[in-house]
Amino acid sequence: MVSKKKNKIITFQDTILKLQNYWSQKGCIILQPYDMEVGAGTFHPATTLKSLGPKSWKSAYVQPSRRPSDGRYGENPNRLQHYYQFQVIIKPSPDNIKKLFLESLKSIGIEHQDHDIRFVEDDWESPTLGAAGLGWEVWCDGMEITQFTYFQQMAGIQCNPISVELTYGLERVCMFIQQKKNVYDLIWNKEGLLYKDIHLETEKQFSKYNFEIANSENLLKIFEILENEAKNLIVNKLPLPAYDQCLKASHVFNILDARRAISIAQRAEYILRIRELVKGVGEKYLEINS
Amino acid sequence: MSELFLELFSEEMPPNLQCYVRETLLQNIKNFLDKEQIKYDGYNNCFSTPNRLVIYFKKIEKEAIRASQEFRGPSVKSSEDAINGFINSNNISKNQIYKKKINNEEFYFYKSPKKKIKTASLLQNEIPEIISRIKWKKSMKWGEYNLYWGRPLKSIMALYENKVLKFKLGHLHSKNITFIDKDYEDKTKSFKNYKSYASFFKKSGILINHNERKKYIENKINQISKSKNLKIHLKDKLLEEVTNIVENPNIILCSFNKQFLDIPQEIVTITIENYQKFFPLYDQNNNLTNYFIVVSDSRDIKGFIKKGNESVIDARLSDADYFWKKNRSQNMLKQISELKKINYFNGLGTYYDKSQRLKKLGGHLSDVFLLSKEKIEVASSICKVDLLSDLVNEFPELQGLLGGYFAEVQGFEKEVSTALKEQYLPTGPNSNTPKKNYSVALCLTDKIDTLVGFFGLGMIPSSSKDPYALRRLTIGLVKIIVQNKKNLKLKEIINYSCQLYNDQSKQFDNKIILPKISIFIIDRLKNLMKEKGIRQDIIESSVLEKNIDKLTSIFSKAEKLNKIIDKQLGKDIIENYKRASNILNSEKDKEDSEILGAADPGLFQNQFEKDLYKKINEIKKNFTSISIETDFQAQLFLLASAKKEVSNFFDNVQVNDEDKILKKNRLQLLDMFCKTFDNYINFTKVDTQ
């Protein structure tokens, strides 16, 4: 897509560095991934909790994300149960955010005038987080590379002011830049290490675990324990540790879902239970921070 | 007269919001102009691109005329204060009021002079109001602002008489400039009117007028497909949507890897149309090809856009292909027991339970439909197996259809795989109903089982709430029965379905459920008849009995009667009936004993009575003869044919005879007559119009 010359190819790690560099220059605090299994960059407290309340906030970070149901034993060129998101969160959303975003693409070699960049309606909702926002998925030549969302609600609480969230799917973006049809062929670094060298075995093992081996009975018990722990922490006015329990519970739920151990009717109930916890966390967090 | 030109520039607005706000805004401005009696003529419209919403009125009168108006003040007897109050509130002086008598009382009056108001100042005040009154189906806030809009609103350009209409909307001030680069919002330019604005953008390929844009895209697509000797099945909804997501349309012919043509076609077209908003192309025999058309929003100078879009389709199809190959080889019969893992609905068991019920219900129908019991049982048992597949997980809208494809590959008989494919029909108001017997049977049992289950749980739709779409399902049920002219003992089937739930230890009481379902079904039948343009009085008369065992004949009778009701034939029938029933009704109550039983021919005094009696018996006999039992047209002719006998009877026979026995006998004759007619439909409530 960019230059075909090997030495000029933007590697996977370059992409991360360039994005970090770009958003750092735009005044974002560069954070590290949250040290827990989460379904998306949005779950990082730097997004969920920081988007609540009146204080300004600008941050960018990489977040490894897990979606057990999306595992394909390493056999599918596009689907992974573990992948990377690059997350930008800015509150209040600046007027020139579209320009900032398009320039960030330029920084990783996607020249706007050469491509068909589209803002396709995608009203985002996270039932477990009690969050909703309006925005788009950004398509580059038909491929979704970023999620662009103005948060309207988080943890069941109306946002004010409004934060804007940009979530780059790093593998997608890189596959686009490096012109690869298979995620495992992505070039990770200048020495030529590939994505598969790092992650193929992970995908195989975790797919097997998520779909076949995970012990549903135990996980159901763990879910209960985590839920109680979170409730207790909320009562004790410790929303931050309580939120950690929510994240763990959410991940346990996702594995149970991948195991198809939860029926459609129960599914809604579990989601509601997590949402109630997150709501409690959000309220307590605001109480303490205002 | 002068031009009004507004542009509201925002970040990318979704297509459906564009359509909605276009219509609403234009209508609200027109309503305002009408209300203020400001004349406008010539062209007016509202256009949009994803970023620009444009209102354009070619000519609006520069002044609004306020006609002179008379205001009534207080009575002349009122206190000085009241009179002064009237004068002050109208901002006039004492010599401008006058006295006038109304109903013997004298009042003060004031007549305001004819006035001219500048349209510009009215627009200036009202436009921000009109804009902020838009009721969004979905709207948002952004930054620290308090404004609500479909997507962040960035600038407002408002011109009338080539000058800025100055107003404020939230934090935004109207101007005569707008952003000309939609993405970076770095460059601005001022405009004087719509024409210069539209032509400025046209130079760079941007078509502001969405109608023009739609036509342009349509022409180009047709051109390209024709040049490749390919065909396009253009769906207007998709074309409309694509028109609303581009401003600078560029049409690119693309192709995907041919090997994916082996995947079920619906998967490919859904991927291309629904997910990517592209247009698939077909060969001259209407077979899907591996070509498709992309409408991009910019020129493909370096060829990246074509290449990128092609690889997206290839990637998506390769994902689908992976699942297709995996799922089609998973033995459906062996998977039946796995349905135990999927809950159908709380209280109604799993999908395994459901398919076991369907199997028995299908077996029951096999006699009525003359089907092989074995085949329908197989179809019922495996019909929900596709819910276990990855493909249905990926493409939920293709459930049923995919099951059919799996069954085809696994060598199930054609009737079975087709029934699976068609099991959810009809899917919407314009969708087909199944015609093949196995499909009809499976569709019916599935719907009846669902209906009985939800009614059994007491989850009956209310007038406003129908979360499980039972109305739509039941309309489908009625349509399938009526359109296939099936005579089904529906009550028996519903009772059996109830029994099947009971066998699975779900305690449903059919005595409670059946009457409720019957009413629900009859109401849907009424809707269907209304949709077909059948007159309300005929509809009401046909469903008086609420007999769901006769849906087909109720519908056909009503339809046939509706066709002739306004013709001579219809008038004859109604008149014959009314003459008899009018007398009958007015005399009925006066009789001491009820009019029961047939008239006694031995009591007839004249030929006219005998003739009518003979005619009634002739009609009765014919009605039950097999030849016309279901020929409702013939039945109507027969009813109309009594005209002569009826006329002669009423012209020559006095029903109200002094001899009470004779009178009663004649009333009984008329009662026989009416009852014979009522065999067709209860004519009491049908009117001649």
Side-chain angles (χ1 to χ4, degrees):
Chain A
M1 211 76 321
V2 197
S3 173
K4 289 277 167 68
K5 282 178 205 157
K6 237 189 178 167
N7 56 355
K8 274 201 178 172
I9 256 186
I10 301 182
T11 63
F12 191 74
Q13 68 187 37
D14 275 346
T15 309
I16 294 173
L17 293 172
K18 281 176 195 285
L19 282 174
Q20 276 188 351
N21 201 15
Y22 174 85
W23 287 107
S24 160
Q25 278 167 17
K26 300 295 169 192
C28 286
I29 298 159
I30 302 301
L31 286 177
Q32 299 307 314
Y34 205 55
D35 57 342
M36 254 176 210
E37 298 123 322
V38 295
T42 311
F43 285 75
H44 195 307
T47 291
T48 41
L49 299 180
K50 289 288 185 182
S51 68
L52 293 170
K55 283 185 212 150
S56 315
W57 176 248
K58 279 180 171 188
S59 169
Y61 53 89
V62 174
Q63 181 63 53
S65 306
R66 306 224 194 183
R67 300 213 175 147
S69 299
D70 281 351
R72 297 288 184 267
Y73 297 84
E75 289 167 26
N76 183 291
N78 303 298
R79 296 278 188 109
L80 302 160
Q81 57 81 42
H82 171 286
Y83 62 102
Y84 295 92
Q85 289 190 337
F86 189 88
Q87 174 90 357
V88 179
I89 176 90
I90 304 178
K91 179 173 73 173
S93 66
D95 278 349
N96 63 344
I97 184 63
K98 254 183 80 186
K99 180 179 174 180
L100 291 176
F101 167 67
L102 291 168
E103 284 179 343
S104 78
L105 293 183
K106 197 174 177 172
S107 79
I108 49 173
I110 302 176
E111 294 282 351
H112 184 198
Q113 69 270 14
D114 294 340
H115 299 282
D116 188 25
I117 298 194
R118 298 277 196 90
F119 293 80
V120 179
E121 171 181 23
D122 187 33
D123 296 338
W124 169 86
E125 217 171 289
S126 166
T128 39
L129 287 179
L134 264 64
W136 312 272
E137 33 179 72
V138 182
W139 287 11
C140 183
D141 301 340
M143 182 189 250
E144 183 196 339
I145 52 170
T146 306
Q147 198 61 48
F148 191 134
T149 310
Y150 291 95
F151 286 158
Q152 304 293 304
Q153 197 190 66
M154 181 58 80
I157 299 160
Q158 289 301 322
C159 298
N160 188 26
I162 301 295
S163 308
V164 65
E165 176 201 59
L166 301 173
T167 305
Y168 303 73
L170 281 171
E171 286 83 356
R172 298 257 191 131
V173 169
C174 268
M175 281 168 79
F176 186 84
I177 300 172
Q178 298 184 8
Q179 285 261 284
K180 299 289 183 200
K181 294 203 168 183
N182 190 325
V183 64
Y184 295 105
D185 296 335
L186 284 176
I187 301 165
W188 192 286
N189 69 355
K190 289 242 160 40
E191 281 67 48
L193 203 73
L194 300 182
Y195 196 91
K196 66 176 140 212
D197 300 326
I198 320 260
H199 282 302
L200 185 57
E201 188 55 26
T202 346
E203 284 303 309
K204 285 181 185 167
Q205 289 196 17
F206 274 93
S207 295
K208 188 150 177 82
Y209 167 72
N210 296 331
F211 291 127
E212 300 170 42
I213 310 293
N215 184 321
S216 307
E217 241 168 79
N218 286 345
L219 288 172
L220 287 168
K221 281 183 213 147
I222 293 172
F223 186 93
E224 305 286 331
I225 294 170
L226 292 168
E227 186 185 30
N228 287 331
E229 191 75 357
K231 281 181 185 163
N232 184 42
L233 288 166
I234 293 169
V235 173
N236 282 289
K237 297 190 179 161
L238 294 169
L240 297 176
Y243 184 67
D244 278 7
Q245 311 308 311
C246 298
L247 293 180
K248 288 182 192 175
S250 175
H251 181 62
V252 167
F253 163 77
N254 287 339
I255 299 176
L256 285 166
D257 202 26
R259 281 290 268 142
R260 303 218 174 153
I262 294 176
S263 74
I264 299 166
Q266 284 174 316
R267 209 172 175 273
E269 186 211 310
Y270 274 94
I271 290 173
L272 189 68
R273 281 162 74 179
I274 302 172
R275 180 163 67 213
E276 283 305 309
L277 294 177
V278 175
K279 193 165 171 248
V281 168
E283 281 162 0
K284 207 49 87 188
Y285 176 85
L286 273 183
E287 202 180 293
I288 292 168
N289 286 281
S290 58
Chain B
M1 293 241 183
S2 193
E3 174 190 298
L4 171 68
F5 167 40
L6 299 175
E7 188 219 46
L8 299 158
F9 177 91
S10 69
E11 292 178 4
E12 279 74 358
M13 189 93 84
N16 57 344
L17 282 186
Q18 280 178 52
C19 295
Y20 169 75
V21 77
R22 269 191 326 235
E23 281 165 29
T24 316
L25 204 51
L26 186 66
Q27 195 52 51
N28 289 352
I29 293 181
K30 281 183 183 172
N31 290 348
F32 163 71
L33 295 174
D34 291 341
K35 193 189 90 200
E36 297 290 337
Q37 299 178 10
I38 305 170
K39 286 188 194 140
Y40 58 96
D41 50 41
Y43 189 76
N44 64 72
N45 212 333
C46 188
F47 306 121
S48 71
T49 71
N51 302 85
R52 301 172 200 277
L53 182 70
V54 171
I55 286 278
Y56 171 56
F57 279 74
K58 196 169 181 190
K59 283 174 180 173
I60 297 180
E61 197 75 65
K62 288 183 190 173
E63 282 169 338
I65 310 289
R66 287 277 183 284
S68 158
Q69 212 183 338
E70 193 171 55
F71 299 94
R72 191 170 88 175
S75 156
V76 292
K77 294 173 202 156
S78 305
S79 67
E80 194 75 7
D81 281 351
I83 296 164
N84 282 334
F86 177 59
I87 290 169
N88 292 336
S89 69
N90 280 293
N91 210 9
I92 47 176
S93 61
K94 201 165 182 176
N95 55 18
Q96 284 173 281
I97 59 172
Y98 53 92
K99 294 174 186 172
K100 206 165 103 180
K101 236 183 193 173
I102 283 180
N103 298 335
N104 288 326
E105 207 187 336
E106 235 180 342
F107 293 92
Y108 282 110
F109 278 86
Y110 158 64
K111 198 173 187 180
S112 71
K114 186 174 157 184
K115 250 194 322 198
K116 286 181 180 173
I117 304 177
K118 289 252 178 248
T119 302
S121 73
L122 285 173
L123 288 172
Q124 199 155 286
N125 288 331
E126 195 60 24
I127 284 177
E129 296 296 319
I130 293 175
I131 294 174
S132 48
R133 272 201 305 266
I134 291 175
K135 287 192 185 68
W136 296 91
K137 283 171 199 153
K138 222 176 198 184
S139 64
M140 59 170 285
K141 285 172 64 173
W142 60 100
E144 288 177 295
Y145 309 120
N146 285 314
L147 197 58
Y148 279 91
W149 200 253
R151 286 293 182 274
L153 184 64
K154 295 299 189 58
S155 88
I156 303 171
M157 181 160 65
L159 296 166
Y160 180 67
E161 296 184 70
N162 302 333
K163 287 201 284 280
V164 183
L165 286 173
K166 282 190 181 149
F167 58 82
K168 213 179 143 203
L169 184 73
H171 59 284
L172 297 168
H173 291 268
S174 62
K175 294 182 182 133
N176 62 345
I177 56 174
T178 185
F179 296 108
I180 51 171
D181 58 330
K182 68 179 170 76
D183 290 314
Y184 288 92
E185 295 164 17
D186 281 338
K187 295 178 204 142
T188 56
K189 182 171 162 56
S190 70
F191 291 98
K192 277 198 171 155
N193 52 41
Y194 173 71
K195 205 179 153 193
S196 63
Y197 169 86
S199 69
F200 170 81
F201 284 107
K202 204 168 189 169
K203 271 179 210 149
S204 43
I206 297 168
L207 300 172
I208 298 289
N209 181 335
H210 55 273
N211 300 316
E212 224 175 276
R213 209 158 62 231
K214 185 175 167 187
K215 214 169 272 169
Y216 174 85
I217 296 171
E218 191 177 354
N219 288 341
K220 281 273 175 188
I221 290 179
N222 284 327
Q223 238 173 47
I224 292 188
S225 51
K226 225 176 247 170
S227 73
K228 283 269 156 191
N229 199 24
L230 294 168
K231 275 166 87 172
I232 184 151
H233 302 167
L234 204 55
K235 291 178 182 156
D236 194 61
K237 209 178 144 217
L238 179 63
L239 178 63
E240 191 84 22
E241 193 179 352
V242 167
T243 303
N244 287 327
I245 56 177
V246 295
E247 61 169 17
N248 193 344
N250 178 40
I251 284 76
I252 308 171
L253 180 72
C254 300
S255 62
F256 59 82
N257 191 327
K258 258 192 176 164
Q259 76 181 75
F260 298 131
L261 286 173
D262 294 339
I263 309 174
Q265 181 171 322
E266 289 83 353
I267 292 181
V268 179
T269 51
I270 278 199
T271 304
I272 294 179
E273 292 178 343
N274 297 19
Y275 294 173
Q276 297 295 130
K277 316 288 173 205
F278 301 156
F279 299 89
L281 293 176
Y282 299 81
D283 69 14
Q284 293 304 328
N285 300 320
N286 294 318
N287 296 315
L288 184 71
T289 69
N290 66 323
Y291 285 98
F292 60 97
I293 281 174
V294 172
V295 181
S296 76
D297 202 12
S298 49
R299 311 283 139 201
D300 192 13
I301 299 159
K302 300 189 179 165
F304 292 158
I305 300 177
K306 176 181 157 84
K307 220 170 163 188
N309 281 304
E310 286 178 338
S311 63
V312 170
I313 289 289
D314 276 336
R316 277 191 179 269
L317 291 182
S318 92
D319 204 30
D321 188 49
Y322 169 83
F323 286 137
W324 164 238
K325 284 179 179 146
K326 178 182 164 198
N327 293 155
R328 70 177 176 190
S329 57
Q330 288 164 328
N331 187 311
M332 294 182 92
L333 291 172
K334 282 186 187 158
Q335 287 181 86
I336 295 173
S337 65
E338 282 182 54
L339 287 172
K340 287 176 186 164
K341 286 198 300 192
I342 321 180
N343 208 22
Y344 166 55
F345 195 85
N346 255 359
L348 304 180
T350 63
Y351 271 102
Y352 178 78
D353 298 327
K354 183 173 174 96
S355 58
Q356 293 308 300
R357 293 194 298 267
L358 294 184
K359 187 175 162 188
K360 295 225 171 83
L361 213 48
H364 178 81
L365 275 189
S366 65
D367 291 341
V368 189
F369 280 29
L370 303 172
L371 304 175
S372 135
K373 192 172 178 204
E374 197 198 329
K375 268 192 229 171
I376 188 68
E377 283 184 348
V378 167
S380 310
S381 310
I382 60 169
C383 70
K384 303 298 175 195
V385 166
D386 67 346
L387 296 178
L388 295 160
S389 69
D390 308 275
L391 266 185
V392 168
N393 201 28
E394 292 291 307
F395 300 93
E397 60 272 62
L398 295 183
Q399 59 179 284
L401 193 87
L402 290 171
Y405 276 111
F406 300 149
E408 221 169 68
V409 173
Q410 294 179 21
F412 286 90
E413 282 172 273
K414 182 88 183 145
E415 289 100 329
V416 172
S417 61
T418 308
L420 258 52
K421 282 185 185 175
E422 299 183 337
Q423 61 181 300
Y424 296 105
L425 293 182
T427 48
N430 302 317
S431 143
N432 292 329
T433 49
K435 298 278 173 280
K436 303 208 167 67
N437 261 339
Y438 285 91
S439 306
V440 171
L442 188 58
C443 277
L444 289 179
T445 53
D446 190 10
K447 290 180 170 61
I448 290 168
D449 179 80
T450 304
L451 204 54
V452 169
F454 280 89
F455 273 67
L457 293 176
M459 299 174 114
I460 301 168
S462 69
S463 54
S464 59
K465 277 192 186 136
D466 183 16
Y468 306 105
L470 296 179
R471 263 195 205 93
R472 204 190 65 198
L473 175 124
T474 310
I475 288 176
L477 177 79
V478 172
K479 270 190 178 170
I480 294 170
I481 295 174
V482 167
Q483 290 180 1
N484 287 293
K485 299 203 175 1
K486 292 286 178 207
N487 294 306
L488 283 184
K489 294 208 169 81
L490 212 46
K491 288 181 204 160
E492 197 184 297
I493 301 170
I494 288 169
N495 281 335
Y496 185 50
S497 162
C498 216
Q499 176 63 42
L500 292 171
Y501 273 106
N502 290 342
D503 292 349
Q504 291 181 352
S505 322
K506 282 147 192 104
Q507 295 312 319
F508 294 166
D509 187 347
N510 63 333
K511 285 187 198 72
I512 298 172
I513 295 175
L514 183 61
K516 287 185 180 167
I517 291 190
S518 296
I519 294 173
F520 193 68
I521 292 178
I522 290 292
D523 281 345
R524 305 285 85 70
L525 176 68
K526 282 164 75 175
N527 290 346
L528 183 65
M529 293 199 276
K530 203 172 170 187
E531 222 176 80
K532 297 281 172 192
I534 296 174
R535 250 168 52 179
Q536 196 59 35
D537 54 336
I538 297 181
I539 296 179
E540 293 300 334
S541 309
S542 19
V543 298
L544 283 174
E545 278 181 49
K546 306 212 182 304
N547 188 352
I548 55 168
D549 285 352
K550 293 190 171 164
L551 295 178
T552 300
S553 70
I554 292 174
F555 183 84
S556 315
K557 279 179 175 181
E559 203 180 28
K560 289 279 182 315
L561 178 61
N562 193 61
K563 253 185 205 157
I564 55 128
I565 190 80
D566 294 326
K567 301 192 175 129
Q568 193 53 47
L569 192 68
K571 284 178 189 151
D572 287 347
I573 294 172
I574 305 298
E575 260 162 44
N576 291 342
Y577 185 85
K578 292 277 149 152
R579 286 181 85 171
S581 70
N582 285 345
I583 293 189
L584 196 58
N585 288 336
S586 67
E587 295 300 322
K588 228 179 203 168
D589 302 338
K590 295 180 199 163
E591 286 296 300
D592 316 328
S593 56
E594 271 187 82
I595 301 164
L596 278 174
D600 177 0
L603 289 171
F604 289 154
Q605 302 295 304
N606 56 47
Q607 193 57 38
F608 308 114
E609 286 173 290
K610 288 178 192 160
D611 286 348
L612 185 60
Y613 183 76
K614 211 175 120 196
K615 187 71 191 177
I616 293 171
N617 281 324
E618 183 198 324
I619 296 176
K620 264 185 167 172
K621 210 174 105 197
N622 272 312
F623 251 54
T624 47
S625 85
I626 292 171
S627 61
I628 69 163
E629 200 181 8
T630 53
D631 185 348
F632 302 118
Q633 184 88 17
Q635 291 186 4
L636 287 170
F637 277 116
L638 201 54
L639 294 180
S641 72
K643 188 179 183 182
K644 196 180 93 197
E645 287 78 2
V646 173
S647 301
N648 283 340
F649 178 84
F650 283 108
D651 292 350
N652 300 292
V653 180
Q654 173 90 24
V655 176
N656 241 334
D657 200 276
E658 282 172 8
D659 184 333
K660 283 200 168 166
I661 293 172
L662 288 186
K663 179 183 170 187
K664 188 167 183 185
N665 197 49
R666 282 170 190 160
L667 287 175
Q668 276 170 335
L669 181 63
L670 293 179
D671 190 45
M672 271 175 77
F673 178 80
C674 288
K675 283 198 175 120
T676 305
F677 270 53
D678 288 344
N679 272 330
Y680 186 89
I681 196 175
N682 188 326
F683 281 97
T684 327
K685 286 185 177 163
V686 182
D687 295 315
T688 45
Q689 278 175 350

